[in-house]
């Protein structure tokens, strides 16, 4: 495979992936306008996708299991993803339910009506046609009693309202699909969050916008995610673009069997907190062949995620790919079996409780002028007021292979907890050269092994095992 060029990456990175174990602040058949949607504490049932060999936890068998997982499910961006959902049996065009598509009329009720009809027919398709612009207020497409395998064919454009009166305070999402079994969002259409009215510290994104600074100040303080899936199984997002989200572009929470491919997220590089894809409490996730340009993490992975495979993703601008926000308010945080390979990253920045991060692999990465290419930081602070407390989230079995290129500050930075040192950190074929003054790798409470020659020499990694007892999830 050809090399990937990563240019002008700075600040805190864990090689493309931030492995910051830090505390951070995130947040019958029918569709309804969004109000306050309570999250269920019950996760959906285990999925069948990516279950050829179910990978629970990490043990001495992890390496071989993960290899089988990758070999079985590696998909080239040029391949067409085959699904088992079957052909749609009926179509429901939102124009037939009263949508105007003129970019000014509120079409929320028409989308609700189309969903209510499609919800009763298995493998049905909701059509959002091209050539029209649909204004949607916050809406939730709810599916506990819906038929399975519904397709949301998006070929037109959906835009968010920009007036404060259109939004409830503390609303966490704009468009939501919840508790659905088998949902596909596909097409060539665009979801535009018109986020410039929420980014108070930025100039208005569109030079033609009539939104004033005074209006922008009245928007609610909580910025919504553009598109969120909650408590759903067998979810596919492909082909569409989400742009200018007020906050995260695409979020999966408590979902299993998730596929994202051919997807684009696009927001200015300085737009605040606009993650491209955010995963939380989700399992069996495959992300590939996507372009993610945003103001925060291209992909962020939080607690409760396992069996995540990411490959052939273009990231930048943005903050790379992160595993973080773990153990907030002394909660238990667990992330396992994450593989990231063949990633191109350009113009990017980098990034208490209990639990563990284990079984993480980064491979085949070419970096260029990265401030710190390889980093684990358990002392990371995402606000101006943080106490210097060591995290109790254990970090183990972290593998780096074929990491090559140049750095501008420090080639390797491992800052691990005083209470729970990082263990099982493996480095294989590392070649990192300075474009300025040479500096030495830094390690604090980090145990692992070197495989082959490393440039520069890495002498700070401790051999053997820590005497601290680690309790994994």
């Amino acid at each position: 495979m050809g090399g990937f060029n990563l240019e002008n990456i700075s600040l805190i990175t864990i090689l493309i992936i931030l492995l910051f174990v830090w505390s951070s602040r995130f947040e019958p058949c029918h569709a309804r306008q969004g109000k306050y949607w309570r999250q269920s504490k019950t996760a959906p049932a285990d999925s069948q996708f990516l279950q050829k060999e179910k990978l629970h936890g990490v043990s001495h068998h992890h390496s071989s299991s993960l290899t089988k997982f990758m070999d079985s499910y590696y998909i080239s961006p040029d391949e067409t993803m085959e699904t088992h959902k079957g052909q749609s049996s009926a179509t429901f065009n939102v124009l037939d339910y009263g949508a105007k598509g003129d970019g000014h009329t509120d079409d929320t009720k028409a989308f609700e009506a189309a969903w209510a009809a499609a919800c009763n027919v298995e493998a049905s398709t909701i059509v959002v046609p091209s050539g029209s612009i649909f204004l949607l207020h916050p809406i939730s497409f709810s599916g506990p009693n819906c038929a399975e395998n519904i397709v949301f064919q998006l070929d037109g454009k959906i835009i968010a309202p920009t007036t404060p009166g259109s939004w409830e305070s503390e609303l966490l999402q704009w468009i939501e699909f919840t508790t659905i079994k088998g949902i596909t969002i596909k097409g060539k259409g665009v979801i535009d969050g018109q986020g410039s009215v929420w980014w108070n510290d930025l100039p208005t994104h569109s030079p033609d916008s009539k939104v004033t600074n005074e209006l922008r100040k009245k928007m609610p303080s909580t910025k919504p995610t553009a598109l969120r899936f909650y408590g759903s199984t067998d979810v596919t997002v492909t082909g569409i673009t989400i742009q200018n989200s007020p906050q995260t572009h695409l979020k999966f929470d408590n979902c299993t069997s998730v596929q994202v491919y051919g997807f684009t997220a696009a927001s200015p590089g300085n737009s605040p907190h606009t993650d491209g894809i955010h995963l939380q409490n989700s399992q069996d996730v495959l992300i590939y062949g996507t372009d993610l340009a945003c103001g925060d993490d291209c992909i962020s992975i939080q607690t409760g995620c396992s069996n995540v495979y990411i490959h052939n993703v273009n990231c930048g601008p943005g903050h790379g790919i992160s595993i973080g926000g773990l153990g907030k308010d002394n909660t238990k945080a667990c992330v396992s079996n994450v593989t990231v390979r063949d990633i191109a990253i350009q113009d990017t920045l980098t990034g208490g409780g209990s639990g563990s991060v284990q079984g993480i692999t980064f491979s085949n990465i070419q970096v260029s002028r990265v401030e710190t290419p390889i980093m684990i930081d358990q002392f990371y602070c995402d606000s101006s007021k943080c106490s210097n407390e060591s995290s109790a989230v254990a970090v183990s079995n972290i593998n780096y292979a074929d990491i090559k290129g140049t750095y501008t500050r420090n080639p390797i930075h491992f800052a691990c907890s005083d209470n729970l040192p990082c263990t099982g950190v493996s480095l294989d074929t590392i070649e990192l050269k300075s474009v300025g003054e040479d500096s030495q790798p830094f390690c604090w409470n980090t145990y692992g092994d070197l495989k082959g020659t490393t440039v520069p020499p890495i002498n700070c990694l401790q051999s053997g095992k820590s005497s601290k007892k680690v309790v994994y999830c």
Side-chain angles (χ1 to χ4, degrees), residues 6-11 13 16 345-350 366-372 408:
L6 288 70
E7 300 178 354
N8 302 325
I9 308 176
S10 61
L11 294 182
T13 331
I16 329 222
I345 296 187
Q346 302 131 7
D347 302 315
T348 66
L349 304 177
T350 61
Q366 182 72 35
V367 299
S368 178
R369 299 186 61 83
V370 179
E371 186 167 305
T372 304
T408 62

Side-chain angles (χ1 to χ4, degrees), residues 224-237:
T225 290
L227 177 60
R228 177 190 185 229
F229 293 87
Y230 175 75
S232 297
T233 302
D234 195 8
V235 181
T236 299
V237 177

Side-chain angles (χ1 to χ4, degrees), residues 268-436:
N270 59 344
S271 56
H273 308 299
T274 53
D275 289 1
I277 300 174
H278 178 79
L279 306 176
Q280 185 169 339
N281 295 314
S282 294
Q283 300 81 42
D284 302 340
V285 179
L286 174 61
I287 300 172
Y288 72 100
T290 65
D291 294 297
L292 306 174
C294 49
D296 211 307
D297 298 330
C298 292
I299 301 174
S300 58
I301 303 169
Q302 284 199 337
T303 187
C305 292
S306 63
N307 302 342
V308 178
Y309 187 28
I310 301 166
H311 71 88
N312 294 92
V313 171
N314 293 318
C315 170
H319 292 190
I321 300 174
S322 74
I323 300 173
L326 306 179
K328 179 183 177 183
D329 299 329
N330 293 318
T331 58
K332 187 173 184 178
C334 306
V335 175
S336 64
N337 300 341
V338 177
T339 297
V340 180
R341 59 179 290 181
D342 308 333
I343 303 296
I345 296 187
Q346 302 131 7
D347 302 315
T348 66
L349 304 177
T350 61
S354 63
S356 64
V357 175
Q358 55 181 329
I360 313 297
T361 298
F362 315 105
S363 67
N364 191 26
I365 311 296
Q366 182 72 35
V367 299
S368 178
R369 299 186 61 83
V370 179
E371 186 167 305
T372 304
I374 298 177
M375 172 176 277
I376 299 174
D377 192 345
Q378 290 186 289
F379 297 89
Y380 176 74
C381 173
D382 67 333
S383 67
S384 59
K385 296 181 180 180
C386 291
S387 58
N388 188 18
E389 294 182 357
S390 201
S391 171
V393 176
V395 176
S396 65
N397 295 340
I398 313 298
N399 306 293
Y400 301 90
D402 296 311
I403 314 302
K404 302 177 181 181
T406 58
Y407 67 91
T408 62
R409 183 177 180 182
N410 194 340
I412 294 171
H413 182 92
F414 292 143
C416 297
S417 168
D418 293 333
N419 298 324
L420 287 175
C422 301
T423 61
V425 177
S426 172
L427 298 114
D428 184 0
T429 314
I430 308 299
E431 296 181 16
L432 298 172
K433 299 179 180 180
S434 175
V435 296

Side-chain angles (χ1 to χ4, degrees), residues 437-456:
E437 296 183 3
D438 289 337
S439 62
Q440 298 302 311
F442 172 82
C443 308
W444 180 264
N445 274 358
T446 308
Y447 292 79
D449 62 280
L450 304 177
K451 299 178 180 178
T453 304
T454 64
V455 178

Side-chain angles (χ1 to χ4, degrees), residues 132-202:
S132 297
I133 300 175
F134 301 91
L135 175 64
L136 277 191
H137 284 66
I139 186 171
S140 177
F141 298 99
S142 182
N145 300 313
C146 275
E148 298 180 7
N149 302 329
I150 296 177
V151 175
F152 194 94
Q153 182 72 38
L154 175 60
D155 292 315
K157 185 176 184 178
I158 296 174
I159 62 173
T162 57
T163 56
S166 301
W167 300 92
E168 299 283 347
S169 62
E170 300 184 12
L171 185 64
L172 299 179
Q173 52 273 319
W174 168 32
I175 301 172
E176 181 185 54
F177 290 84
T178 178
T179 57
I180 302 171
K181 185 174 182 180
I183 177 68
T184 296
I185 312 296
K186 68 175 185 176
K188 299 179 180 180
V190 174
I191 295 175
D192 189 344
Q194 304 203 98
S196 61
V197 299
W198 300 84
W199 307 328
N200 292 330
D201 54 344
L202 296 181

